[in-house]
Amino acid sequence: MARVLITGAGRGIGKALAEQYVAAGDEVIACVRDEQACEGLASDKARLQVLDVGDPESINAAREAIGDTPIDILINNAGAAGGRRQKLDDLDLDEWRRTLDVNTIGPILIARAFKSNLAASGNGKLMNVTSQLAASTWPFGGMYIYSSTKAALSRATQILAIDWKEAPITVALMHPGWVKTDMGGPNADITPEESAAGIISVIAKMTKADSGTFYKWNGEIHPW
């Protein structure tokens, strides 16, 4: 049995991840912004924890509530789309700053806050969910806010893998696919359940030698 902490567990990919880990007999700490709205997730195997990724005080409060409990897997899944004004001639600067807090700064602060929990596992695994839009190999423009904040997360995660080289923690990145969520829309390629199953499979196979790797949900390596 593994103990798994998942951010953004209230809907979409995060909810599917939580449900599949619970179904497999694992213990889940399901981090959500609104505990009351997600009460259906709670069970003897799933504990709800209020955590707003964009709020450093909320991150610290969650760490205090969880304490020194060892965590085997931490999935930084929560993210923001960046709003509708993402064209060069119409950029929502306030939204850009807010999205940076959620997509880039928050996941790294969470990694820092729970480093000792992951290390206490003896074989901790940290998976930060990014996007193919963040890769320099992505051949399309647009989406300045979302793409740049996820690109920053990807690079910060790469640095984290280097800085934690000696720690018993594997650090990796995940492109979850184009998923039928509120963000991906109804015309996307795969369901949240398909994405979650792929992510879980990738994490299960990861070893320390894989630290710093950028994966696709189907197990392929994503070009940077």
Side-chain angles (χ1 to χ4, degrees), residues 11-28:
R11 60 181 181 174
I13 300 169
K15 184 178 180 183
L17 285 165
E19 290 174 342
Q20 290 183 30
Y21 272 117
V22 167
D26 296 310
E27 179 184 341
V28 172

Side-chain angles (χ1 to χ4, degrees), residues 122-195:
N123 184 30
K125 297 179 180 182
L126 170 66
M127 180 63 80
N128 285 342
V129 177
T130 183
S131 170
Q132 64 184 5
L133 275 69
S136 63
T137 53
W138 184 246
F140 303 103
M143 297 288 287
Y144 278 84
I145 295 173
Y146 183 74
S147 298
S148 65
T149 54
K150 285 296 190 179
L153 172 63
S154 297
R155 177 56 184 146
T157 303
Q158 204 176 33
I159 295 170
L160 199 62
I162 295 169
D163 286 349
W164 287 3
K165 183 178 180 180
E166 304 304 322
I169 305 170
T170 302
V171 179
L173 285 159
M174 174 62 64
H175 165 57
W178 185 21
V179 187
K180 294 176 182 177
T181 61
D182 292 344
M183 188 182 299
N187 298 319
D189 293 333
I190 59 174
T191 66
E193 291 73 23
E194 289 172 315
S195 176

Side-chain angles (χ1 to χ4, degrees), residues 23-91:
D26 296 310
E27 179 184 341
V28 172
I29 302 172
C31 296
V32 298
R33 284 190 299 173
D34 186 349
E35 188 174 8
Q36 291 184 340
C38 302
E39 288 179 349
L41 271 176
S43 70
D44 60 340
K45 288 289 186 180
R47 162 187 171 181
L48 293 182
Q49 174 62 54
V50 174
L51 194 161
D52 182 346
V53 175
D55 181 355
E57 291 185 5
S58 179
I59 294 170
N60 291 336
R63 172 59 178 83
E64 184 174 349
I66 292 168
D68 295 327
T69 302
I71 293 172
D72 302 297
I73 299 168
L74 194 163
I75 305 176
N76 268 317
N77 163 74
R84 296 183 178 181
R85 294 171 52 200
Q86 298 201 45
K87 295 181 180 179
L88 184 60
D89 295 327
D90 183 27
L91 282 171

Side-chain angles (χ1 to χ4, degrees), residues 173-223:
L173 285 159
M174 174 62 64
H175 165 57
W178 185 21
V179 187
K180 294 176 182 177
T181 61
D182 292 344
M183 188 182 299
N187 298 319
D189 293 333
I190 59 174
T191 66
E193 291 73 23
E194 289 172 315
S195 176
I199 293 169
I200 290 170
S201 177
V202 170
I203 292 173
K205 295 174 184 175
M206 287 194 321
T207 68
K208 182 64 176 178
D210 299 311
S211 212
T213 302
F214 185 3
Y215 290 100
K216 298 179 184 179
W217 70 277
N218 59 7
E220 294 177 1
I221 304 300
H222 199 298

